[in-house]
Amino acid sequence: MNGRFGWSDLLLSASGRLARTPFWIASAVLIGLAAIYEVSFGPTLHWLTGWFVYPALLYMGACVLSKRLHDRGRSGWWAALVLFALVAVWPTPHGFGAFVFVLILAWATIELGVMQGEDGANRFGPSPLALAA
């Protein structure tokens, strides 16, 4: 990706690397869309439309997470663990299992949202920060 990111590439492609700022923006947009959807639709309509909305949101989330994991030098398949933990605690966590999933989400927040990506190119492509310069 170049210094300016396109939404279609950001949300629909899992290849390449992603810097922290676009990661935070895309994550906020996706979580915001999920929250708005949860609040806006009644139980009946939610049950019918959720079969289309949630897979789309999960796919876009997997693409964003994969790119950010690539920037950290990790396989994009780790996104499956993060998404599984998110689904397990959404919208409210319950029980001891939820505690484990919250720990996974805390790790993901620190690993992907706080720590910087690898310097220079790695096996997933050039640094997104080098492309912005």
Side-chain angles (χ1 to χ4, degrees), residues 31-43 46 54 90-91:
I31 290 173
L33 287 173
I36 290 169
Y37 175 74
E38 286 281 332
V39 170
S40 299
F41 290 88
H46 184 270
Y54 286 121
W90 181 271

Side-chain angles (χ1 to χ4, degrees), residues 62-84:
C63 289
V64 171
L65 284 167
S66 291
K67 285 182 185 163
R68 184 65 191 134
L69 284 160
H70 289 168
D71 193 42
R72 294 281 303 138
R74 308 217 187 296
S75 170
W77 285 102
W78 283 101
L81 176 65
V82 176
L83 289 173
F84 184 78

